[in-house]
Amino acid sequence: MVFESMIIPIPSEIILPFAGFMISDSSKMEPLTHNPWNFWIVVIVGVAANTTGSLLGYALGARLGRPFLDRWGKWLLVRPHEVDQAEHFFARWGSPTAFFSRMIPGIRTIISFVAGVSHMPIKPFVIYSTLGAIPWTIGLVYAGTVLGDHWKDLRENLKPSTT
């Protein structure tokens, strides 16, 4: 979760449902406490990790800034006009951007960096980003608990057809 929030594409859409799966099986023990996995502890750790990664991504964006994106953005598949759009979007919509972007796959990975490049004020960024991570984390962990023992069925159903 830390890495995902600072531009490294490690999808929470896989990590958090798997943690939910671990919660659904009371025989699975959490490695640090050797107790069964707990829904709310997983959510708190997920949100904290997301916020930590967001701060690191923000700091990177603020430090490297627009010159970095203008020079290296094409290698990161970020074009200059997209940076312009993001800066204008932040200027127009402000802090709620950080909240809603936390719930959009793909966007959630880069928004911290863009917020840093745009020099969004840090305090609202942290508040809105953290608040946006809460429903995302709860939803994905809950989905994993619901899937529970049906992971094998899901795998079977997603196999390519051989007919």
Side-chain angles (χ1 to χ4, degrees):
M1 294 293 296
V2 170
F3 293 125
E4 180 203 29
S5 293
M6 55 178 279
I7 311 179
I8 300 170
I10 300 173
S12 59
E13 297 89 345
I14 295 173
I15 298 165
L16 292 174
F18 184 70
F21 164 72
M22 299 298 279
I23 292 166
S24 72
D25 184 351
S26 60
S27 71
K28 302 287 185 200
M29 296 295 147
E30 187 271 315
L32 294 176
T33 64
H34 304 291
N35 290 318
W37 288 71
N38 178 284
F39 182 88
W40 292 110
I41 291 174
V42 169
V43 168
I44 290 167
V45 169
V47 171
N50 182 63
T51 301
T52 301
S54 296
L55 284 167
L56 294 171
Y58 180 97
L60 250 143
R63 173 97 166 114
L64 299 175
R66 183 66 189 255
F68 174 83
L69 286 178
D70 288 344
R71 181 169 183 189
W72 300 103
K74 65 182 177 185
W75 301 106
L76 301 171
L77 305 176
V78 178
R79 298 173 292 206
H81 81 275
E82 293 170 325
V83 178
D84 291 335
Q85 289 175 330
E87 288 177 337
H88 291 298
F89 196 86
F90 271 110
R92 181 171 183 202
W93 298 102
S95 302
T97 303
F99 175 81
F100 290 108
S101 65
R102 287 288 157 212
M103 295 177 263
I104 303 171
I107 300 297
R108 64 178 282 103
T109 303
I110 62 166
I111 198 65
S112 301
F113 188 85
V114 175
V117 168
S118 300
H119 299 288
M120 178 182 179
I122 188 76
K123 187 176 180 180
F125 170 75
V126 171
I127 292 168
Y128 280 92
S129 186
T130 301
L131 290 174
I134 292 169
W136 178 260
T137 303
I138 289 172
L140 289 176
V141 173
Y142 179 73
T145 63
V146 170
L147 285 172
D149 291 330
H150 301 288
W151 282 89
K152 290 180 184 175
D153 299 336
L154 183 63
R155 181 178 154 195
E156 193 63 37
N157 290 331
L158 293 175
K159 269 188 183 176
S161 176
T162 56
T163 57

